[in-house]
Amino acid sequence: QKPTNMERYCDLVMNHTAAERCTFVRNTPDCDMGDGFINYLDVAFCLLPPYLTPLTITLCIIWLLFLFVILGLTASKFFCPNLSAISCSLHLTHNVAGVTFLALGNGAPDIFSAMAAFSHPHTAGMAVGALFGAGIFVTTVVAGNVALFKPFDVASRPFLRDVIFYMVAVYWTFIMLYRGTTTLGETLGYLGLYVLYVVTVIVSAYIYNRQKHSLNTSIQNNTHVPESEYTPLLTSSESTVQILLRSLNPVDSRQWRRKPWNWKVFKVLKIPVEVLLLLCIPVVDPDKEDRNWRRPLNCIQLITAPLVCVLAFQSGQYGKHMIQGEFPLWLLVLLLGFFFSAIVFFTTTNDCPPKYHPFFALVGFVVSAVLISAAASEVVSLLHMLGVVLSLSNTVLGLTLLAWGNSIGDCFSDITLARQGYPRMAIAACFGGIIFNMLFGVGLGCLVQMMKTKVDVQFESEGVLTWILAGSLGLSLVVSFITVPLCRFRLGRPYGIFLLVFYVAFLVVALLAEFNNVLVF
């Protein structure tokens, strides 16, 4: 028997009375998302009485902000540095590392959020909304602020190259949304477009360097500007306990003194999360003299890192796994962690990293990727619940909350780069990063879903809102592609103001379309 609408669509829960909603959620298969540690729909409609629903929403929004903090910290403090260390160990050039490993590091929250959203047809619209929404936000708000704070002449060929590739990616995504499906061949071609982009960047840089014959590149590549908060170098006079305590301190006293009060308040709120992450994720820094070798902490991480992976991977499914029905998998991993930790502790010293220390970068990369994926799954599940309760489409949630949350770090970092006198680097990051996020976010999300289901991925369109989103992003790129060359590649304050006005207009139109659909419904 074919299921009815009531059986298929969890969004209809708000059509029921408050007393019936808990039963509806628990008896409707569509309300069981299957991903995430917490069933947020059950929390919203069953945990607390209906009259406390506003309190439930408030607590969920606070938890959402906390998840964004986890995503940002894990990506910036652990995922990116370890990817940089891996690229150094593999002796990759800065161009190759920048468009591969470092692009993955910077876009990790977007990528994993998109992959989590593509795991369910109903939330695929959230992934598209987030990627398109982040694209509009970065290319208008972030780029506009860069132009406002530091008017400059953009590098013509890289700018045109990035805009062209991004327009092709947006058009390809639009075609998939219009057809409502994508095949394996199309998905592989979608990922192949990014490979072509990487090759183009490498070839362009090679030709440019050959033409310039400048020694500045090699000098810049060897110049190091320390940016990490974890800066102290250990001395041989410190005891093992002192090394451990200092390694777990995420606050740089010199930086603390010169920072404003609001930064200090936010830092205090982040300290518990940072300490927990430091306990389970190793970080290798090839720019430091000791490569960030912290013997007692690294030994503890050999115990905690594998255990965290088992408990967090695929929302903890393997945490309950029993080997031959008798021995828990997590206990085996814990015992192996103790074994390897003891070997490392008794065969190394505090002040000299072992030859296999770069292996810790791989461990840190894997653990941070698992944690980012787990946090992203929670974000998607939580946003889906908010969409159901507030009667908002997944696309709106994607282009607002999810896009803003994943892009706010890029916003601050790019504007800071512009203020420090590097506007070209900031504008390059605006376009280069979102190309990677879209192609890999949609491409990998579709590919993983195909591998699970063995069928083509289906997209559930959100109607006119999806076309407003795609059309606005395409229009902003076309306008930039035409306007910037006409201004002789000068990005000034008028252009920055225009981009900000464009984003506000887009947001107003998108929200009006959404609320008009809700009223009609």
Side-chain angles (χ1 to χ4, degrees):
Q1 183 181 358
K2 188 175 180 179
T4 65
N5 286 339
M6 287 293 184
E7 293 172 329
R8 288 190 291 123
Y9 293 116
C10 189
D11 296 349
L12 300 176
V13 64
M14 298 307 293
N15 294 347
H16 294 259
T17 64
E20 297 173 337
R21 289 170 186 168
C22 179
T23 304
F24 178 87
V25 166
R26 290 181 171 175
N27 295 333
T28 303
D30 186 53
C31 292
D32 183 14
M33 296 296 294
D35 295 321
F37 291 90
I38 303 173
N39 186 334
Y40 293 102
L41 287 168
D42 192 81
V43 169
F45 297 110
C46 302
L47 182 63
L48 296 176
Y51 63 86
L52 291 179
T53 299
L55 175 62
T56 305
I57 301 290
T58 303
L59 294 176
C60 286
I61 291 175
I62 294 174
W63 174 235
L64 178 65
L65 297 176
F66 183 74
L67 288 172
F68 278 131
V69 170
I70 294 176
L71 280 172
L73 280 176
T74 309
S76 62
K77 301 294 183 184
F78 301 92
F79 194 73
C80 291
N82 282 316
L83 280 178
S84 179
I86 292 173
S87 66
C88 290
S89 299
L90 297 176
H91 303 291
L92 298 179
T93 65
H94 282 219
N95 286 322
V96 177
V99 297
T100 54
F101 282 109
L102 298 184
L104 174 59
N106 293 332
D110 303 88
I111 301 299
F112 285 105
S113 297
M115 292 176 64
F118 272 111
S119 64
H120 198 282
H122 289 358
T123 55
M126 187 185 299
V128 175
L131 292 171
F132 276 24
I136 298 176
F137 182 82
V138 171
T139 56
T140 56
V141 175
V142 179
N145 276 287
V146 169
L148 282 174
F149 282 111
K150 193 76 174 181
F152 68 103
D153 294 324
V154 70
S156 57
R157 284 180 294 182
F159 176 82
L160 293 176
R161 176 199 66 207
D162 291 346
V163 172
I164 289 172
F165 268 97
Y166 197 31
M167 285 194 294
V168 173
V170 170
Y171 177 73
W172 198 330
T173 309
F174 174 82
I175 293 299
M176 290 193 298
L177 290 174
Y178 181 77
R179 293 174 56 238
T181 184
T182 183
T183 63
L184 178 60
E186 291 174 337
T187 302
L188 294 177
Y190 199 76
L191 292 171
L193 181 61
Y194 187 75
V195 176
L196 178 61
Y197 172 71
V198 172
V199 172
T200 304
V201 171
I202 296 172
V203 172
S204 300
Y206 176 76
I207 295 174
Y208 177 78
N209 291 332
R210 283 286 302 270
Q211 292 175 343
K212 293 291 290 183
H213 289 290
S214 173
L215 296 177
N216 292 336
T217 303
S218 61
I219 295 174
Q220 291 173 358
N221 287 344
N222 292 325
T223 302
H224 168 60
V225 179
E227 297 176 4
S228 175
E229 291 186 31
Y230 313 110
T231 55
L233 290 175
L234 300 178
T235 61
S236 58
S237 61
E238 288 182 310
S239 67
T240 299
V241 175
Q242 289 174 326
I243 294 173
L244 177 61
L245 292 177
R246 186 140 73 138
S247 302
L248 289 174
N249 180 18
V251 179
D252 183 349
S253 58
R254 292 170 297 180
Q255 189 182 40
W256 178 270
R257 285 193 293 268
R258 65 175 183 264
K259 289 293 185 179
W261 67 269
N262 55 342
W263 182 93
K264 293 178 180 178
V265 171
F266 188 52
K267 183 68 177 179
V268 169
L269 295 175
K270 292 192 300 181
I271 284 177
V273 181
E274 289 191 66
V275 172
L276 291 176
L277 293 175
L278 282 169
L279 280 170
C280 60
I281 307 178
V283 177
V284 177
D285 189 350
D287 293 324
K288 288 186 177 180
E289 183 181 349
D290 60 357
R291 302 178 65 87
N292 204 43
W293 168 246
R294 306 290 184 263
R295 176 170 166 256
L297 180 59
N298 289 150
C299 291
I300 292 175
Q301 289 164 341
L302 285 176
I303 301 172
T304 57
L307 187 62
V308 167
C309 286
V310 171
L311 297 178
F313 185 64
Q314 291 190 350
S315 302
Q317 292 184 12
Y318 290 92
K320 302 176 183 178
H321 182 72
M322 304 291 288
I323 301 175
Q324 295 184 347
E326 297 181 357
F327 197 78
L329 176 62
W330 67 265
L331 183 56
L332 174 63
V333 171
L334 181 64
L335 294 175
L336 289 175
F338 273 110
F339 175 72
F340 288 113
S341 177
I343 292 177
V344 171
F345 186 81
F346 290 111
T347 58
T348 58
T349 60
N350 288 336
D351 53 357
C352 183
K355 293 182 179 180
Y356 52 81
H357 187 225
F359 171 75
F360 281 82
L362 180 62
V363 175
F365 162 72
V366 172
V367 181
S368 54
V370 170
L371 286 178
I372 290 173
S373 178
S377 295
E378 293 300 307
V379 168
V380 170
S381 298
L382 181 52
L383 287 178
H384 178 67
M385 182 275 288
L386 291 175
V388 171
V389 173
L390 301 176
S391 299
L392 295 175
S393 68
N394 286 320
T395 302
V396 163
L397 291 171
L399 71 90
T400 53
L401 293 179
L402 189 56
W404 294 339
N406 288 339
S407 302
I408 196 69
D410 295 332
C411 182
F412 286 119
S413 60
D414 291 342
I415 293 174
T416 301
L417 278 173
R419 283 178 168 175
Q420 292 175 349
Y422 304 101
R424 283 193 174 188
M425 187 184 300
I427 207 71
C430 288
F431 286 94
I434 54 178
I435 294 173
F436 177 87
N437 293 349
M438 176 163 289
L439 291 176
F440 260 62
V442 177
L444 278 182
C446 292
L447 187 61
V448 170
Q449 184 63 10
M450 287 179 185
M451 293 173 63
K452 287 182 179 179
T453 61
K454 309 298 182 183
V455 296
D456 295 343
V457 173
Q458 304 294 322
F459 299 99
E460 290 189 3
S461 174
E462 300 284 355
V464 68
L465 188 61
T466 302
W467 313 129
I468 291 175
L469 190 59
S472 298
L473 179 55
L475 179 60
S476 70
L477 293 173
V478 171
V479 169
S480 294
F481 184 73
I482 296 174
T483 305
V484 174
L486 290 177
C487 296
R488 298 185 177 182
F489 296 96
R490 176 71 178 176
L491 298 188
R493 288 187 173 86
Y495 179 74
I497 294 173
F498 163 75
L499 290 179
L500 295 177
V501 171
F502 184 94
Y503 182 77
V504 172
F506 149 74
L507 205 57
V508 169
V509 172
L511 293 178
L512 286 176
E514 169 68 10
F515 290 123
N516 183 60
N517 288 338
V518 171
L519 291 174
V520 171
F521 179 78

